[in-house]
Amino acid sequence: MKEINFFLLLIYLQVGQIISQDDNNFLEPSDLVIVIISQSNPYHKAHAELLQKNINDQAESMEKNSPVIILTHELKIKGSWTYLPLFSHLSFNYPNKKWFLFCLENTVINLIELIRVLSEHKSKNMWLSYGLTDHDLTIIHHFAKLKAPFKYPNEASGFAMTKQLLYSIATNQRNRQMDFSIDSSHELAHYIDDEIKGPSLTHSAKFCIVSNRKCATFPRQFYPCDKPILSEKIYVAVKTCKQFRNDRIPVILNTWSKYARNIAFYTDEADNSLPNSHIVPKTNVGHCAKTYGILQHAYKVMRKKNIDWLLITDDDTIVSLARIQKLLTCYNPKNLIALGQRYGFRLNDDDGYDYLTSGAGLILSKPVVKLIINSTDCQCPHRETADDMFLFGQCLQNLNLNIIHSSAFHQARAVDYAAGYLSSHEPVSFHSFWNINPKETYKQWFAEDDENFFHSSLTHTEL
């Protein structure tokens, strides 16, 4: 009797599987379009191509046709990292696909589990991901006062959207205007909620923020490409002024800067008590002339000492030099490298552009520094023009140089980011001392790594 019941159970399971496969909502991998937000830099391009190959290999092992896989840098669509500029292209070229998955180059995808998760959702007008929420108003989200709980997707986990929602968004963008693009996933969620009155993001734990065997997706953590570069190969330039000499500079001197082999403080007035300080043009806002002066002086030092990289920070930026030395193993200092956190300015206009935010800290290879100071396209229009928007945005665009975005750099404080977002990658910087204890920020996020790394380096050298 038990054997008969077991046999019947097997039949019921097989029939159920067949019925579910015949259901209109059952998905094949070929029903998907997977959009990888990619970059043209060789390191980032290689990771996107590896993800593409991995997805194709998974489909082959399933004996299924592969999804359509798009690497956005190949489309050459301006502002594609903000998602919305892609939607018209996707809706026009892939009208018969059922789901669109957007992810980053470091997103790991379990295709079988992804198909299973998407097949479980029957709504024709929805999107899903690991949902992040803000606890307080924050500058990175334009201090938006949104209905609670307002969820937005964790980019590194990816997010999936039905074709109906994608088409609805694609047909409602004609009059979209936005000066600054900062956090593209939050801005997309805000647009869907506010402009098209679309569905709220559906949270799915299968879109993970840390790896798990049951995940459909999860972010892959960063691994250095080689042995960490030497401290001597980085020149650190700290922008400061007399006004902040007594409150900000002591924090820098007592935290991360003590590990820098080549560091200088660029200020507006002579200060004999500040080691290795240099005078640059005084500016009250914008600071273009000041930063341009830093570039000019830094290049002379880099050329004299054979230094490969320039790290520029504000005097209220907290960084981990150990992590930066590991990060830079993935880039060739002989190439044109401009690395940091990417923002966008009026990307839906013809004259819009991407730029690197200076507060997060930014890194330039020596050839880029030389290119900027020797180009007439990069001379400040006005001494108080916004330095990062012009020198590391318009200037680089005029020189046909693509900036490189890294989510490890942060223009705001650690408390301004959702915990789930920060769990998806290893930060190298935070910016702003406002209303926090910056020494505690350094201690919490960076001190242990720096101490272990530089103590180990010192011990190895002494041996």
Side-chain angles (χ1 to χ4, degrees):
M1 188 68 178
K2 290 182 179 179
E3 291 181 356
I4 294 175
N5 288 339
F6 181 72
F7 179 73
L8 289 173
L9 177 61
L10 286 176
I11 292 177
Y12 292 150
L13 289 173
Q14 290 172 351
V15 170
Q17 184 179 21
I18 293 171
I19 291 173
S20 67
Q21 288 177 347
D22 287 339
D23 191 280
N24 289 331
N25 286 308
F26 184 81
L27 293 174
E28 296 285 347
S30 57
D31 291 323
L32 304 182
V33 175
I34 297 179
V35 183
I36 303 172
I37 305 299
S38 58
Q39 302 183 74
S40 59
N41 171 266
Y43 166 73
H44 295 273
K45 178 184 175 183
H47 276 281
E49 290 174 344
L50 283 172
L51 175 57
Q52 181 181 41
K53 182 180 185 302
N54 180 264
I55 296 168
N56 286 330
D57 289 346
Q58 289 185 65
E60 184 178 352
S61 69
M62 296 165 63
E63 298 183 347
K64 300 287 186 179
N65 292 326
S66 292
V68 172
I69 304 174
I70 297 172
L71 276 58
T72 56
H73 79 273
E74 296 177 346
L75 297 179
K76 301 186 184 302
I77 295 176
K78 184 178 180 179
S80 60
W81 62 274
T82 65
Y83 301 111
L84 286 173
L86 294 168
F87 285 17
S88 295
H89 171 86
L90 295 172
S91 62
F92 180 80
N93 287 283
Y94 306 102
N96 298 319
K97 301 300 180 180
K98 296 180 180 179
W99 281 89
F100 294 80
L101 175 76
F102 298 83
C103 67
L104 304 183
E105 66 196 29
N106 67 318
T107 307
V108 178
I109 295 175
N110 181 333
L111 189 58
I112 291 176
E113 194 63 38
L114 178 64
I115 294 295
R116 182 180 292 118
V117 171
L118 298 182
S119 297
E120 292 172 353
H121 293 276
K122 310 303 181 184
S123 173
K124 295 182 178 180
N125 187 42
M126 70 175 303
W127 61 319
L128 66 157
S129 177
Y130 186 97
L132 302 173
T133 57
D134 292 340
H135 295 293
D136 297 296
L137 299 181
T138 172
I139 188 172
I140 61 171
H141 296 152
H142 314 280
F143 296 110
K145 296 181 180 179
L146 304 172
K147 61 183 181 183
F150 180 81
K151 296 189 292 292
Y152 56 99
N154 186 48
E155 281 187 297
S157 305
F159 63 89
M161 181 178 293
T162 60
K163 69 175 183 181
Q164 288 84 356
L165 177 56
L166 184 136
Y167 296 162
S168 177
I169 297 170
T171 56
N172 284 279
Q173 293 189 62
R174 298 181 188 88
N175 298 317
R176 184 177 69 91
Q177 295 291 331
M178 190 169 192
D179 281 344
F180 290 95
S181 298
I182 297 175
D183 184 339
S184 54
S185 66
H186 186 276
E187 288 150 14
L188 174 62
H190 187 195
Y191 182 83
I192 292 173
D193 179 75
D194 190 54
E195 297 295 328
I196 68 169
K197 311 301 179 185
S200 298
L201 179 72
T202 297
H203 172 77
S204 171
K206 294 291 186 177
F207 289 72
C208 303
I209 56 174
V210 293
S211 61
N212 185 309
R213 287 186 303 172
K214 297 181 180 180
C215 294
T217 69
F218 63 88
R220 175 175 40 77
Q221 293 296 319
F222 168 79
Y223 292 97
C225 300
D226 204 339
K227 294 180 181 179
I229 69 168
L230 298 175
S231 301
E232 291 83 355
K233 291 297 182 180
I234 303 176
Y235 183 71
V236 182
V238 180
K239 290 190 298 182
T240 188
C241 61
K242 183 180 180 181
Q243 178 184 353
F244 301 119
R245 172 66 181 90
N246 295 323
D247 54 353
R248 294 183 180 180
I249 295 302
V251 175
I252 301 297
L253 293 174
N254 289 308
T255 55
W256 62 268
S257 74
K258 61 188 176 184
Y259 298 112
R261 293 294 181 90
N262 298 291
I263 186 168
F265 295 86
Y266 291 87
T267 185
D268 51 5
E269 293 185 22
D271 187 345
N272 295 329
S273 66
L274 184 61
N276 201 21
S277 59
H278 303 276
I279 305 299
V280 286
K282 183 175 182 178
T283 52
N284 296 316
V285 295
H287 311 303
C288 193
K290 183 175 188 175
T291 303
Y292 192 81
I294 292 173
L295 294 172
Q296 289 177 309
H297 182 268
Y299 182 69
K300 294 177 182 177
V301 177
M302 295 172 75
R303 187 173 58 180
K304 180 180 179 180
K305 294 187 176 183
N306 192 28
I307 297 174
D308 291 331
W309 300 101
L310 171 63
L311 167 63
I312 302 177
T313 78
D314 285 356
D315 55 9
D316 58 347
T317 304
I318 294 292
V319 306
S320 167
L321 289 177
R323 293 183 182 180
I324 285 175
Q325 287 177 223
K326 295 174 184 177
L327 179 65
L328 289 177
T329 63
C330 297
Y331 303 95
N332 187 341
K334 295 181 180 179
N335 294 340
L336 297 172
I337 304 294
L339 174 69
Q341 184 180 15
R342 172 186 54 205
Y343 276 12
F345 180 68
R346 294 183 179 174
L347 293 178
N348 51 319
D349 293 341
D350 291 338
D351 59 351
Y353 53 88
D354 295 335
Y355 67 96
L356 296 177
T357 61
S358 60
L362 57 92
I363 298 174
L364 309 174
S365 62
K366 185 162 55 179
V368 171
V369 181
K370 179 181 180 180
L371 194 62
I372 293 174
I373 62 176
N374 288 336
S375 172
T376 56
D377 289 326
C378 296
Q379 295 177 359
C380 296
H382 188 275
R383 61 187 293 108
E384 295 190 339
T385 297
D387 58 351
D388 50 4
M389 295 179 71
F390 178 74
L391 292 172
F392 312 121
Q394 287 178 294
C395 155
L396 298 183
Q397 180 171 267
N398 293 339
L399 297 172
N400 294 314
L401 195 161
N402 292 324
I403 65 174
I404 302 170
H405 170 71
S406 170
S407 59
F409 294 83
H410 298 87
Q411 173 68 12
R413 306 166 302 167
V415 295
D416 290 311
Y417 299 91
Y421 171 80
L422 293 178
S423 298
S424 298
H425 60 272
E426 185 176 72
V428 303
S429 74
F430 292 109
H431 175 237
S432 180
F433 293 175
W434 179 74
N435 207 29
I436 63 166
N437 183 335
K439 291 183 180 179
E440 285 300 314
T441 296
Y442 179 73
K443 181 179 179 181
Q444 177 183 353
W445 289 95
F446 304 138
E448 184 176 0
D449 274 7
D450 279 358
E451 288 171 7
N452 291 340
F453 176 80
F454 289 104
H455 175 73
S456 175
S457 299
L458 179 61
T459 303
H460 180 75
T461 300
E462 290 174 345
L463 291 175

